[in-house]
Amino acid sequence: MESGKQERAAKAWEELQASLEPEVRRAYLIGPGAVVSVVRTLFERCLAVTMTMAEAITEDQVASLERRIRSLEAARKKDSHNSSKPPSSDVVRGLRRPKSLRGKSGKRPGGQPGHPGRTLEMSEVPDVILPHSATHCTSCGRALTENTASEVVDRRQVFDMVPARPLVTEHRLIARKCEACGAYSTGSFPEGVEASVQYGSEVLAFSVYLTAGQFIPLKRASELVGIVSGLPVSQATLLGAERRAAEGLEETEREIFGLIHQSAISHMDETGCFVEQKLNYLHDLSTPFLSHYTVHPKRGRGAFEEIGFLPTYEGVAVHDGCESYTDARYPCDHSLCCAHLLRDATFVEEEEKMEWAGKFKRLLRAMKKAKERAIEQGRTSLDQRALARYERRYTALLEEGDLAEPPPAPAGKRGGPRPRTAGRNLLERLGKQRVMVTRFLHDFRVPFDNSEAERDLRMMKLRQKISGGFRTKDGARHFATIRGYLNTARKQGHSPLDVLRDLFLGHPFQPVIALPE
């Protein structure tokens, strides 16, 4: 019925436009009275067409437009302090300065008392010693020679870089003649020396560190390697070094994956990346000592099934609120990132003016502080009275939220239920996933947030800002493999250049599940 009204309104508007110019011209020829009459008639017809078009707009269309306006207004009000949007988007928007979720610590900026500083220390065995002595006596003016008695009264050291100069090592095969039978026996080249001319492990390690470690684009990386090493290095050489490194890490990558699978607590997250100009996802599995990355076209269950971690993992998986992680078929337990919940609650408190959301934020922070105090006191759990007290406060806040934001009622016979607010969605998530939200309080091994995985993924956004997406699937896979190796090495206290050099020498470092205390 509404579509018929819309068609009639559109037809009336077309007829009005078609008759406008002829009627005005005819009235102009007749005289002023006719012009006034025509204008009055056209005004009445315009009013009638406007009324017809207004009636043609249905209640469903109005409701749809209202929902759209609300969603756009909500999106405009979100930034990094009240949602999962990255801080970089705040700079682009420039609408307001976001407030940090961190409270005041009461400490002065910079290093705190007892913090070990980092500075240059004098070397006991300097490479070059330059003596500086006076040539004439400052008292009487007499010339001072090398034979004059002297002593070192002060010294200063300057640390600098060695100028770039290629170090060429020539491997020669020597044939020796046996004195008994006269036959010649020839030695063999060491492992890794395969071509008549090739780059060494130092150059290859530095090249891969620039591209996969510091995200420098190939053109600039090849120029920098040439400046530092004094050798001409092409972009193809850099790509070949990445491919060789990734191929040499296949066994190490499987080992890292297996160690994370054995961990009692593991972090996981994903972020978008572009491969061959198509949206893909970089999936991260991590612990405080291990990192593993996988690039996959999908984000949710399809990717999890192919990666093969969650379907068989039996520990505690720490992640954000993505429903794909909590599939009932997965045997692991779950813990939600409470930092995400704090940001979501901030939005509900500030934009929807819901008092219960602010109280929930204070409850989460109180639970976190209670756990930290218990750990400082050497305890491994909270006493049952404290746990019961926090659980009662949690229940009371859910009930308060239900009173402030009751479940949405149907809009009527026509149309579906009224739109949900962000507060209602958060409230239902806190109720359904309560065990996941409070797991960090009941199990001290579980962290409060998922910052471990988020820190591991932040480098992908930095890489995309500097170098863009990946041109090939192999390039993306090589990058993920090398990054997992480098990040694991960093967490376990190894230098990235050292572990890359060992890799090109055929001896990649062996990761462990945790460092010894």
Side-chain angles (χ1 to χ4, degrees):
M1 182 175 181
E2 287 78 7
S3 61
K5 289 183 179 180
Q6 293 174 353
E7 291 176 1
R8 288 195 297 272
K11 185 177 181 181
W13 181 250
E14 292 175 358
E15 292 176 352
L16 177 60
Q17 289 180 311
S19 62
L20 180 61
E21 184 175 351
E23 292 188 18
V24 172
R25 287 183 178 277
R26 189 180 306 109
Y28 177 76
L29 295 175
I30 296 174
V35 173
V36 174
S37 178
V38 168
V39 171
R40 182 182 294 110
T41 303
L42 290 175
F43 177 77
E44 292 174 353
R45 293 176 62 185
C46 284
L47 184 60
V49 171
T50 303
M51 295 296 293
T52 304
M53 295 180 68
E55 292 176 357
I57 300 177
T58 65
E59 294 180 4
D60 288 345
Q61 289 175 324
V62 172
S64 176
L65 290 174
E66 289 178 347
R67 287 194 296 269
R68 178 63 173 164
I69 291 172
R70 279 195 292 268
S71 65
L72 290 174
E73 288 180 344
R76 185 182 65 84
K77 295 174 182 177
K78 287 186 177 181
D79 51 35
S80 61
H81 94 288
N82 60 13
S83 72
S84 298
K85 298 182 69 174
S88 57
S89 64
D90 301 331
V91 178
V92 174
R93 289 174 59 234
L95 297 179
R96 62 180 175 183
R97 184 186 182 95
K99 294 178 291 185
S100 174
L101 290 177
R102 297 178 182 175
K104 294 184 178 180
S105 64
K107 300 178 181 178
R108 296 172 60 90
Q112 303 302 313
H115 173 72
R118 289 188 177 184
T119 184
L120 291 176
E121 296 182 358
M122 279 199 167
S123 172
E124 296 300 327
V125 187
D127 299 295
V128 179
I129 298 177
L130 298 178
H132 302 282
S133 60
T135 57
H136 291 78
C137 177
T138 57
S139 177
C140 65
R142 182 177 179 178
L144 302 177
T145 65
E146 294 182 358
N147 296 327
T148 305
S150 63
E151 62 177 314
V152 177
V153 294
D154 197 3
R155 59 178 184 153
R156 298 177 181 179
Q157 294 184 347
V158 177
F159 287 73
D160 209 342
M161 294 178 61
V162 179
R165 187 181 69 83
L167 175 64
V168 181
T169 301
E170 181 173 290
H171 297 265
R172 297 179 178 180
L173 290 187
I174 306 299
R176 297 187 181 276
K177 182 180 180 180
C178 178
E179 295 180 355
C181 65
Y184 284 87
S185 299
T186 306
S188 58
F189 288 115
E191 183 180 356
V193 181
E194 300 171 352
S196 58
V197 178
Q198 67 182 61
Y199 294 103
S201 59
E202 294 285 351
V203 175
L204 296 178
F206 184 62
S207 301
V208 173
Y209 176 66
L210 291 180
T211 56
Q214 296 296 332
F215 322 123
I216 299 180
L218 288 174
K219 183 177 180 180
R220 289 164 51 196
S222 64
E223 179 182 353
L224 181 56
V225 173
I227 293 173
V228 173
S229 68
L231 296 169
V233 180
S234 67
Q235 297 181 39
T237 299
L238 300 185
L239 290 175
E242 285 190 349
R243 181 178 63 255
R244 180 177 166 186
E247 292 173 352
L249 288 173
E250 291 180 357
E251 181 62 32
T252 304
E253 185 179 32
R254 286 192 292 268
E255 186 176 351
I256 293 174
F257 184 91
L259 291 176
I260 298 176
H261 197 274
Q262 297 173 26
S263 301
I265 312 293
S266 64
H267 298 257
M268 52 199 66
D269 202 353
E270 76 290 326
T271 189
C273 61
F274 286 90
V275 180
E276 297 178 342
Q277 298 184 347
K278 296 180 181 179
L279 180 62
N280 280 243
Y281 293 91
L282 180 70
H283 292 263
D284 169 58
L285 301 171
S286 60
T287 73
F289 304 101
L290 301 161
S291 293
H292 182 277
Y293 299 102
T294 306
V295 178
H296 197 278
K298 297 181 181 179
R299 181 183 184 186
R301 293 182 180 88
F304 300 158
E305 297 293 333
E306 291 192 28
I307 294 173
F309 184 86
L310 275 174
T312 56
Y313 183 59
E314 296 182 353
V316 178
V318 184
H319 49 77
D320 56 24
C322 181
E323 292 185 1
S324 300
Y325 287 114
T326 56
D327 192 308
R329 296 174 296 175
Y330 301 151
C332 61
D333 294 323
H334 302 272
S335 177
L336 287 187
C337 174
C338 290
H340 278 76
L341 297 176
L342 285 175
R343 291 193 290 267
D344 293 341
T346 298
F347 179 83
V348 176
E349 178 189 19
E350 295 181 352
E351 305 302 335
E352 298 184 356
K353 310 302 180 185
M354 289 296 167
E355 187 177 349
W356 70 265
K359 294 179 180 178
F360 179 75
K361 288 168 54 181
R362 291 191 288 273
L363 172 61
L364 274 183
R365 290 183 173 128
M367 294 161 72
K368 180 174 181 289
K369 288 182 179 179
K371 174 181 175 179
E372 292 172 348
R373 286 195 299 267
I375 292 176
E376 290 174 357
Q377 296 170 2
R379 291 186 286 160
T380 58
S381 64
L382 289 180
D383 60 82
Q384 294 301 315
R385 292 178 59 185
L387 287 174
R389 183 172 65 254
Y390 287 121
E391 292 291 353
R392 285 195 300 271
R393 290 176 61 185
Y394 196 107
T395 302
L397 286 178
L398 292 181
E399 294 173 353
E400 181 178 341
D402 275 328
L403 293 175
E405 299 190 73
K413 295 181 180 179
R414 296 167 61 187
R418 297 189 185 279
R420 291 174 173 270
T421 63
R424 186 65 210 177
N425 289 335
L426 176 61
L427 195 62
E428 293 189 359
R429 180 148 45 106
L430 294 176
K432 293 179 181 178
Q433 300 179 337
R434 177 171 179 163
V435 174
M436 303 181 195
V437 175
T438 60
R439 188 177 297 278
F440 79 95
L441 190 66
H442 294 267
D443 186 348
F444 276 18
R445 300 173 304 165
V446 178
F448 177 78
D449 53 38
N450 194 30
S451 296
E452 186 68 44
E454 293 181 359
R455 283 192 296 266
D456 281 1
L457 284 179
R458 196 168 297 142
M459 58 84 194
M460 173 51 71
K461 296 308 178 187
L462 180 61
R463 198 269 180 196
Q464 287 188 153
K465 288 179 180 294
I466 297 174
S467 301
F470 299 95
R471 294 184 178 181
T472 64
K473 295 179 181 178
D474 286 341
R477 180 172 55 81
H478 296 162
F479 176 82
T481 300
I482 297 171
R483 281 300 306 184
Y485 177 70
L486 290 178
N487 216 27
T488 299
R490 176 189 61 80
K491 290 180 178 182
Q492 301 195 9
H494 296 275
S495 163
L497 285 176
D498 288 344
V499 297
L500 286 173
R501 184 190 309 112
D502 293 340
L503 168 62
F504 284 110
L505 291 174
H507 310 289
F509 99 99
Q510 300 299 312
V512 295
I513 195 169
L515 294 180
E517 296 183 359

